[in-house]
């Protein structure tokens, strides 16, 4: 029973190799069968897990904890495991065709699932590094999967920016190992509780955080994200921005729990980085014309909002940030998959050329509208809940509150712009060929609505934090939303639609490769200045 | 010019912090791991080579995924290098020069020696420096010499990749056998108290499988690059 | 522990410092290269530097290699060596993948300069 954690990692890996070996055309049914097996195992494990504390920690090989590799689970990682299994179900359903299996694609996809589930559970620093590198390589191959010119250049840009960041993470591990003799996270957390404050400790913290920030696409180093999303296939984009980027945020929490005993004051610095990420992301998103680029920049800005929530020392805002992680995974995947369907029917990516979606594909448009309402934070949808919690936490701290407010206005403006695609006459006919894709959209939309209304049992069940003492659905919050929406509408009409010169310059700025790495170095030095000198 | 100066200043700051940390490391150095391996390593795992003991027993989970990375990279390189219709106008490098005869003769001499050396390194991984990964690379290099000898050699990539994946599944299987004998995954399937010779069976088996897998993987990557250039 | 490191024993402390300099040179190359192949080489240099750094910090005079035979009492730490075997394999596979991507970029765009490759809008090959 306790070995289920290992099975969760290895069943997708072994099944993926079998899919690659046997070229039978109904092989994707085997993939679904294994996915069902994993879901059942995860549910069994969760039931045993909450009752029995020993289930959470397993040392592979039965060796001493400080020498062997161990896997550990807690509430946070269990919730991420369920989110990942759900997302992979949806992606497999979206790309399912009866009687035709793309073997190589399923091979990489299932292997990535095994690696990601391992990343969530691993309790050993070097093992985390191996899983991170493996995930980077598989994602680079999946970005280049379509084999067009732009796929290759985005893939090499992604690889050349992420691999040095991983090597910096490894340098951080080096210092920790030589100072404390072990690279097991539980053993190190115990050690750090009564540690002296030395420069080497801070240096290793800075190095590890710098590596993780590139993975999580934070402010100076997010330039790989829009390039990668613009060219990948829609299900890969949905997976990448719904889940793999969140892997970076998950590691951010883990590293902060590890260094908790050392007592660094990281919350101001990372709030600032989060705010900059959110603002810069929204600014770029407003200036783009390509639908997938807009969504990609919104991912950057929502990760900024998550970082604003997660970096605070207050427990409730922290859980607001985690809740926003889940909500964002749901509605961003919904938007990307819906955008994929729309783009494949209209054969163009520019928002200005797509019109009449409501009349051509009514089901898809309704579901997309659900997604748009969620991301802008409409009441009764899940974005409202998490954004209100984070804003409630900052209600009496002037600058932070207004930063979040401005980001919300920007998000709403950009989706007002995107909602133009729904109006207009019917231009194309759309035979309902692929029901499976619509079903996946419906699942995500259902998730958004359910989390929007019944969030209390969910958060109590997984995190143990009752949120009912925060009055979320108060009239003032609802009024805030409509005010935001009207300001956004006005802003759009008079500023963005005219496509003034500043908007055009922002759209055409490209961060060249050497500047990307220069920004990474500047980021490391800024962190060194902050954590070591101040 | 200002860019170079900015770069040098940034790198200088990082270098300064590093030097200060190194000076601190002198006092803080912790050798818990080293003492544990010196005392218990050989008797718990049955191997005199402590590095192989770590790779194949204490941290076998990492080694499985390291072999997995090779698998992914091979499949990725093959997928990316397959030609689509769009590229039929691309110009390929044509490899028409002939290798000098002296080189061909020496390669013929060296090839069996390298192959034997590679096998020796793989099989003796638990007694002398070496192991599956290192020996597999040597065997792969030996096979690559064949390409110098005969520039038009044709290899069946599909077969090699299939064999490689089957060998990887075997590696996972051997690693997981310990769940039945010892109750926990990913360690030697003989008991903790078994003699060193019995434990060595597991080590040699795993080393040979990993060596085969690494050799086939590197051979495939090189062949894919060569095909790209023809 | 007193005779393991010593700033007066110039040899054992210079090694990590010089190795870190190699890593920084790699980063310098990465941030000022206009050619994709040069960036791949810079990443290889960074990776070699990090591997050597890990091994150098654990090295000291009088330590034997971690293979037990008679009369061996003080060994160099074997864990970094095992971790670095894994890192070398990871690094070489990443290099292979990036070089294959470079070849494909060259086929589609006709050049391997970052500026040209990133600024073309929509290319037909």
């Amino acid at each position: 029973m306790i070995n289920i954690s290992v099975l969760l990692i290895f069943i997708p890996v072994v099944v993926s190799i079998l899919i690659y070996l046997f070229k039978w055309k109904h092989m994707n049914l085997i993939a679904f069968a294994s996915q069902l097996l994993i879901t059942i195992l995860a549910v069994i494990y969760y039931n045993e897990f909450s009752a029995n504390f020993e289930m959470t920690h397993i040392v592979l090989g039965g060796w001493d904890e400080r020498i062997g590799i161990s896997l550990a689970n807690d509430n946070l990682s269990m919730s991420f495991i369920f989110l990942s299994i759900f997302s992979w179900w949806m992606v497999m359903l979206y790309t399912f065709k009866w009687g035709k299996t793309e073997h190589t694609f399923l091979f990489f996809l299932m292997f990535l699932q095994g690696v990601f589930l391992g990343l969530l559970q691993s309790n050993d620093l070097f093992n985390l590094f191996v899983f991170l590198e493996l995930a980077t390589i598989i994602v680079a191959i999946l970005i280049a999967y379509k084999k067009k010119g732009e796929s290759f250049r985005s893939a090499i840009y992604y690889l050349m920016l992420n691999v040095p960041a991983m090597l910096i993470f490894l340098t951080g591990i080096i210092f920790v190992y030589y100072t404390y003799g072990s690279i097991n996270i539980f053993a190190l957390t115990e050690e750090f509780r009564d540690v002296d404050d030395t420069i080497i400790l801070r240096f290793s913290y800075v190095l590890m955080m710098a590596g993780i920030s590139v993975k999580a696409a934070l402010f100076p180093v997010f330039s790989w994200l829009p390039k990668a999303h613009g060219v990948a296939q829609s299900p890969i984009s949905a997976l990448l921005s719904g889940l793999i980027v969140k892997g970076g945020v998950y590691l951010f929490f883990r590293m902060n729990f590890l260094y908790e005993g050392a007592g660094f004051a990281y919350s101001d610095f990372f709030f600032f980085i989060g705010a900059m990420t959110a603002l810069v992301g929204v600014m770029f998103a407003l200036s783009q014309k390509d639908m997938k680029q807009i969504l990609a920049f919104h991912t950057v800005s929502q990760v900024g909002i998550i970082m604003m929530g997660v970096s605070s020392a207050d427990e409730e805002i922290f859980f607001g940030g985690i809740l926003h992680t889940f909500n964002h995974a749901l509605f961003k995947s919904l938007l990307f998959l819906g955008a994929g369907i729309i783009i494949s029917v209209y054969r163009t990516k520019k928002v200005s050329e797509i019109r009449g979606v409501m009349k051509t594909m009514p089901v898809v448009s309704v579901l997309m509208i659900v997604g748009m309402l969620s991301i802008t934070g409409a009441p009764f949808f899940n974005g409202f809940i998490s954004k209100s919690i984070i804003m409630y936490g900052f209600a009496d701290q002037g600058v932070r509150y207004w930063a979040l407010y401005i980001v919300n206005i920007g998000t709403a403006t950009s989706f007002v712009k995107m909602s133009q695609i729904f109006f207009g006459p019917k231009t194309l006919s759309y035979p309902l060929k692929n029901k499976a894709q619509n079903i996946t959209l419906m699942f995500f939309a259902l998730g958004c609505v359910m989390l929007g209304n019944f969030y209390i049992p969910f958060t109590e069940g997984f995190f143990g934090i009752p949120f009912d003492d925060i009055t979320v659905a108060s009239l003032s919050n609802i009024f805030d939303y409509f005010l935001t929406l009207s300001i956004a509408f006005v802003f759009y009409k008079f500023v963005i639609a005219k496509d003034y010169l500043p908007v055009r310059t922002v759209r055409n700025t490209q961060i060249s490769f050497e500047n990307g790495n220069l920004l990474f170095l500047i980021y490391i030095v800024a962190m060194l200045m902050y954590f070591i000198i101040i | 010019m200002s860019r170079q100066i900015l770069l040098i200043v940034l790198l200088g700051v990082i270098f300064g912090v590093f030097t200060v940390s190194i000076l601190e490391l002198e006092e803080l150095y912790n050798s818990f791991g080293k003492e544990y391996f010196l005392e218990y390593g050989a008797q718990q795992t049955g191997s005199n080579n402590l590095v192989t003991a770590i790779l194949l027993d204490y941290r076998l989970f990492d080694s499985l995924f390291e072999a997995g990375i090779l698998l992914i990279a091979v499949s990725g390189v093959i997928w990316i290098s397959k030609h689509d219709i769009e590229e039929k106008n691309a110009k390929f490098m044509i490899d028409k020069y002939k290798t000098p005869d002296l080189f061909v003769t020496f390669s013929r001499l060296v090839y069996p020696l390298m192959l034997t050396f590679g096998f020796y390194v793989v099989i003796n991984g638990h007694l002398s420096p070496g192991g599956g990964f290192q020996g597999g690379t040597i065997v792969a290099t030996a096979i690559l010499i064949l390409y110098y000898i005969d520039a038009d050699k044709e290899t069946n990539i599909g077969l090699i990749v299939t064999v490689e994946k089957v060998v990887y599944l075997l590696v996972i299987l051997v690693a997981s056998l310990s769940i039945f004998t010892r109750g926990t995954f990913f360690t030697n399937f003989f008991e903790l108290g078994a003699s060193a010779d019995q434990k060595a069976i597991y080590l040699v088996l795993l080393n040979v499988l990993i060596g085969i897998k690494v050799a086939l993987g590197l051979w495939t990557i090189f062949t894919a690059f060569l095909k790209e250039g023809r | 522990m007193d005779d393991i490191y010593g700033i007066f024993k110039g040899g054992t402390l210079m090694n990590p410092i010089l190795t870190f300099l190699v890593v920084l040179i790699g980063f310098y190359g990465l941030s000022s290269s206009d050619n994709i192949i040069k960036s791949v080489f810079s990443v290889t240099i960074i990776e070699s530097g990090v591997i050597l750094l890990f091994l150098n910090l654990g090295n000291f005079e009088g330590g034997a290699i971690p293979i037990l035979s008679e009369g061996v009492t003080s060994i160099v730490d074997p864990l970094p060596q095992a971790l670095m075997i894994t890192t070398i394999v990871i690094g070489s596979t990443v290099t292979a993948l990036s070089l294959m991507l470079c070849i494909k970029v060259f086929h589609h765009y006709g050049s391997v300069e970052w500026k040209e490759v990133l600024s073309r809008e929509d290319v037909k090959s």
Side-chain angles (χ1 to χ4, degrees), chain A residues 65-125:
Chain A
E65 183 185 74
R66 291 164 294 176
I67 294 290
I69 300 181
S70 65
L71 299 175
N73 275 318
D74 59 356
N75 273 322
L76 195 57
S77 66
M78 282 310 292
S79 43
F80 268 92
I81 288 179
F82 279 115
L83 180 68
S84 328
I85 296 182
F86 177 66
S87 303
W88 252 278
W89 262 116
M90 292 300 118
V91 171
M92 279 168 48
L93 203 54
Y94 189 87
T95 52
F96 174 68
K97 290 186 183 41
W98 174 256
K100 205 168 75 138
T101 314
E102 283 191 51
H103 293 274
T104 326
F105 183 74
L106 269 183
F107 166 64
F108 287 123
L109 200 64
M110 297 293 284
F111 208 105
L112 185 61
Q113 179 176 14
V115 167
F116 194 71
L117 289 177
L119 188 79
L120 294 175
Q121 298 181 61
S122 168
N123 195 30
D124 179 280
L125 284 175

Side-chain angles (χ1 to χ4, degrees), chain A residues 402-465:
Chain A
W402 287 113
L404 204 48
Y405 206 77
I406 295 180
V407 173
N408 277 339
I409 294 182
T411 317
T413 315
S414 155
F415 279 98
V416 163
K417 176 168 106 173
M418 206 194 272
S419 67
Q420 287 183 323
I421 61 173
F422 295 124
F423 306 118
K426 172 171 171 158
T427 50
L428 293 174
S429 70
Y430 170 62
L432 193 68
K433 290 184 281 192
N434 201 341
K435 295 199 180 59
Q437 296 180 335
N438 292 5
I439 294 181
T440 57
L441 290 186
M442 270 193 273
F443 269 112
F444 275 122
L446 201 62
C448 289
V449 172
M450 299 240 333
L451 270 185
N453 288 318
F454 304 116
Y455 63 98
I456 293 187
F458 171 71
T459 54
E460 273 202 42
F462 273 119
F463 307 128
I465 304 273

Side-chain angles (χ1 to χ4, degrees), chain B residues 1-17:
Chain B
M1 193 55 207
S2 62
R3 210 158 171 278
Q4 331 286 64
I5 298 184
L6 177 63
L7 258 181
I8 296 194
V9 165
L10 292 173
L11 293 175
V13 170
I14 302 180
F15 183 66
V17 177

Side-chain angles (χ1 to χ4, degrees), chain A residues 344-362:
Chain A
S344 69
V345 168
Y346 280 82
R347 301 197 183 287
T348 171
K349 289 193 203 174
K350 293 197 188 302
V351 174
S352 47
E353 296 172 14
I354 302 179
R355 287 283 180 272
V357 178
M358 181 67 92
K359 296 212 173 63
T360 320
M361 316 186 237

Side-chain angles (χ1 to χ4, degrees), chain B residues 17-33:
Chain B
V17 177
F18 175 77
T19 320
V20 175
S21 320
I22 288 287
L23 293 175
E24 278 191 358
L25 183 59
E26 295 180 53
E27 299 130 29
L28 296 175
Y29 187 78
N30 180 330
S31 57
F32 165 74

Side-chain angles (χ1 to χ4, degrees), chain A residues 20 61 124 127 134 147 515, chain B residues 59 62 69 79 82 185:
Chain A
Y20 194 87
D124 179 280
N127 203 13
L134 200 41
K147 298 210 277 201
N515 286 334
Chain B
R59 298 185 73 96
D62 265 347
I69 279 193
W79 171 256
K82 273 205 185 120
F185 269 115

Side-chain angles (χ1 to χ4, degrees), chain B residues 65-76:
Chain B
F65 280 101
E66 175 188 349
I69 279 193
L70 256 171
L71 198 76
I72 293 284
V74 163
S75 319

